[in-house]
């Protein structure tokens, strides 16, 4: 495998270095900038209305500077009045002007303060609420799934896993692009902006407490570094990685990946199969689309099935997982099924069909 040198990797990491922050999914009713703009326009409207009211009755006001109140003086008076500064250089002297100040200007002043103070309080409340959500998320997140890279591969992988019953709250996406993380949070996943090859970024994704890690980066060398870092932080997690070139798969396994998928070779084999047999290609395409048509699922052996052969079951058994070995349905070593075995079967997809996760400890790396 041709990996770039250490200096090149360091330069690449510096180029993609961004603020490592956690983004939790939320439903945004209105954009913050639009909210602030709307409130500023409302405050400006209140100021203009107040100035016009004062100018309409400018004869009832006295200016200590030149005894006359013009349009500019009206805006000045409205500004210092609404902001409760009140220098006292322009004052209402007539009964009508004072009544207008009591019943019109004062309510406008209160409305102006409500708009400004309300905006400040809303910002502070939102920050406090977001901090509380983040702390609560960190304290409750356990046995989750971390997806490093939310491109086509990562998105398809996590959608397939979620189709089998995994909750979106149990998924954390890691990607250096803010735009990608925004897309992930819009779909209901938590997101961490940052380079997945850095341990501090993966710690923010709580990878040390994750059950499984999906590595779906765009580059094979990046996938190797992410796998090494993730395995260092979590010795027991199941790590599945995707690579483009088949020659890099052994290096991924040496780095700590439990399973390596060669995307280019898999796509090529599916293309070749579709050429040789379009029907077989359609069946394979159906099998890899979880939740529709035929699905490949893994399930434990029931007590009623113990001692029976794979061909004697109602389900179409493809393989038997015994210990850390995967045996074919026709392997003579299978014999009778054991209670600790797990079955890889092909079933008709239904809403209740799901893959039972393998919770056994992985063998030492």
């Amino acid at each position: 495998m041709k990996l770039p040198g250490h200096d090149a990797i360091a330069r690449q990491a510096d180029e993609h270095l961004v603020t490592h922050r956690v983004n939790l999914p939320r439903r945004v009713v209105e954009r913050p900038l639009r909210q602030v703009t709307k409130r500023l326009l409302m405050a400006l409207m209140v100021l203009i209305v107040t100035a016009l009211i004062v100018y309409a009755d400018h004869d009832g006001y006295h200016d200590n500077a030149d005894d006359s109140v013009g349009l500019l003086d009206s805006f000045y008076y409205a500004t210092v009045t609404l902001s409760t500064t009140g220098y006292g250089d322009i004052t209402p002297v007539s009964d009508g002007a004072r009544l207008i100040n009591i019943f019109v200007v004062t309510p406008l002043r209160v409305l102006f303060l409500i708009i400004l103070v309300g905006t400040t309080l809303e910002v502070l409340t939102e920050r406090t609420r977001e901090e509380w959500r983040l702390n609560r998320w960190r304290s409750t997140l356990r046995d989750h799934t971390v997806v490093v890279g939310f491109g086509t591969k990562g998105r398809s992988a996590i959608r397939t896993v979620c189709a089998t019953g995994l909750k979106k709250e149990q998924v954390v996406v890691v990607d250096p692009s803010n735009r990608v993380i925004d897309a992930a949070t819009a779909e209901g996943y938590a997101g961490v902006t940052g380079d997945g090859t850095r341990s501090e970024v993966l710690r923010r994704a709580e990878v040390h407490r994750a059950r499984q890690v999906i590595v779906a980066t765009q580059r094979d060398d990046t996938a190797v570094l992410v796998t090494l870092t993730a395995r260092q932080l979590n010795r027991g997690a199941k790590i599945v990685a995707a690579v483009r070139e088949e020659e890099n798969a052994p290096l991924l396994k040496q780095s700590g990946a439990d399973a390596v998928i060669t995307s280019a070779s898999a796509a090529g084999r599916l293309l070749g199969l579709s050429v040789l047999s379009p029907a077989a290609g359609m069946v394979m395409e159906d099998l890899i689309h979880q939740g529709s048509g035929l699905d490949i699922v893994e399930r434990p052996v029931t007590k009623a099935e113990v001692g029976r052969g794979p061909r004697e079951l109602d389900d179409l058994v493809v393989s038997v997982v015994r210990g850390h070995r995967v045996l074919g349905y026709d392997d003579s070593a299978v014999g009778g099924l054991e209670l600790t075995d797990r079955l890889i079967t092909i079933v008709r997809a239904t809403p209740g069909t799901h893959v039972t996760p393998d919770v056994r400890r992985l063998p030492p790396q």
Side-chain angles (χ1 to χ4, degrees):
M1 173 180 178
K2 298 180 180 179
L3 291 176
H6 182 272
D7 294 338
I9 297 176
R11 286 196 301 270
Q12 180 186 358
D14 292 337
E15 291 174 357
H16 294 286
L17 182 60
V18 294
T19 303
H20 312 321
R21 71 174 188 273
V22 178
N23 297 318
L24 299 182
R26 60 180 179 177
R27 186 180 66 178
V28 179
V29 178
E30 193 173 15
R31 295 180 180 178
L33 180 60
R34 183 177 299 177
Q35 290 183 356
V36 173
T37 303
K38 181 185 295 185
R39 299 199 177 194
L40 287 176
L41 291 176
M42 292 172 60
L44 181 61
M45 185 63 65
V46 171
L47 176 64
I48 294 175
V49 170
T50 304
L52 293 178
I53 291 175
V54 172
Y55 182 71
D57 190 30
H58 62 277
D59 292 336
Y61 291 83
H62 175 73
D63 186 355
N64 294 333
D66 54 7
D67 295 333
S68 63
V69 177
L71 182 61
L72 179 61
D73 296 326
S74 300
F75 274 95
Y76 168 75
Y77 175 78
T79 302
V80 298
T81 299
L82 294 180
S83 61
T84 67
T85 305
Y87 294 115
D89 48 351
I90 299 179
T91 57
V93 293
S94 67
D95 293 341
R98 291 179 177 178
L99 287 173
I100 291 176
N101 266 262
I102 294 173
F103 296 107
V104 180
V105 176
T106 298
L108 289 175
R109 181 189 300 124
V110 174
L111 177 61
F112 185 84
L113 293 177
I114 288 177
I115 294 173
L116 296 185
V117 175
T119 302
T120 304
L121 289 178
E122 184 173 345
V123 171
L124 294 177
T125 303
E126 180 63 25
R127 288 181 179 177
T128 303
R129 185 188 300 113
E130 194 66 22
E131 188 68 23
W132 179 83
R133 289 183 65 209
L134 182 58
N135 292 334
R136 183 174 178 273
W137 174 79
R138 290 186 185 280
S139 62
T140 58
L141 194 63
R142 296 288 190 283
D143 296 332
H144 57 290
T145 299
V146 177
V147 183
V148 183
F150 201 61
T152 303
K153 292 180 293 186
R155 205 175 299 232
S156 299
I158 201 57
R159 285 176 179 173
T160 299
V161 177
C162 288
T164 63
L166 180 67
K167 296 181 179 179
K168 291 186 176 182
E169 293 79 7
Q170 288 295 105
V171 177
V172 182
V173 176
V174 178
D175 198 281
S177 172
N178 288 320
R179 192 182 312 172
V180 171
I181 293 300
D182 290 341
T185 55
E187 293 189 26
Y189 310 117
V192 177
T193 306
D195 187 353
T197 62
R198 297 177 176 269
S199 57
E200 62 267 25
V201 175
L202 294 184
R203 285 194 183 97
R204 287 184 176 271
E206 304 294 323
V207 75
H208 52 284
R209 297 189 294 191
R211 178 190 296 274
Q212 49 203 11
V213 180
I214 299 175
V215 182
T217 57
Q218 298 297 324
R219 294 168 55 96
D220 289 1
D221 53 348
T222 305
V224 172
L225 294 176
V226 171
T227 303
L228 283 170
T229 307
R231 180 57 71 198
Q232 181 183 18
L233 296 175
N234 192 331
R235 295 290 180 181
K238 181 184 293 184
I239 300 179
V240 180
V243 292
R244 291 179 177 271
E245 302 299 332
E246 193 168 2
E247 63 180 6
N248 299 331
L251 185 56
L252 260 295
K253 290 188 176 180
Q254 293 176 10
S255 302
D258 298 293
V260 179
I261 307 300
T262 307
S263 57
S265 297
R269 285 191 290 268
L270 185 57
L271 286 172
L273 179 61
S274 299
V275 170
L276 296 174
S277 174
M282 290 177 60
V283 172
M284 288 301 300
E285 186 75 14
D286 185 16
L287 287 174
I288 63 178
H289 281 80
Q290 197 73 26
S292 62
L294 298 176
D295 280 350
I296 296 181
V297 300
E298 179 181 344
R299 66 171 180 84
V301 173
T302 64
K303 292 183 179 180
E305 296 170 339
V306 174
R308 301 169 62 183
R311 296 182 178 181
E312 300 175 12
L313 306 184
D314 295 333
D315 291 344
L316 180 58
V317 179
V318 178
S319 300
V320 177
V321 181
R322 178 168 294 170
H324 300 295
R325 297 184 302 165
V326 180
L327 305 174
Y329 72 94
D330 56 348
D331 196 322
S332 58
V334 175
L337 294 176
E338 300 175 4
L339 190 59
T340 55
D341 291 341
R342 298 177 68 84
L343 303 177
I344 308 296
T345 64
I346 296 179
V347 299
R348 176 65 60 181
T350 61
T353 302
H354 64 280
V355 177
T356 305
D358 191 348
V359 297
R360 294 170 299 176
R361 298 288 296 179
L362 296 173
Q365 299 295 323

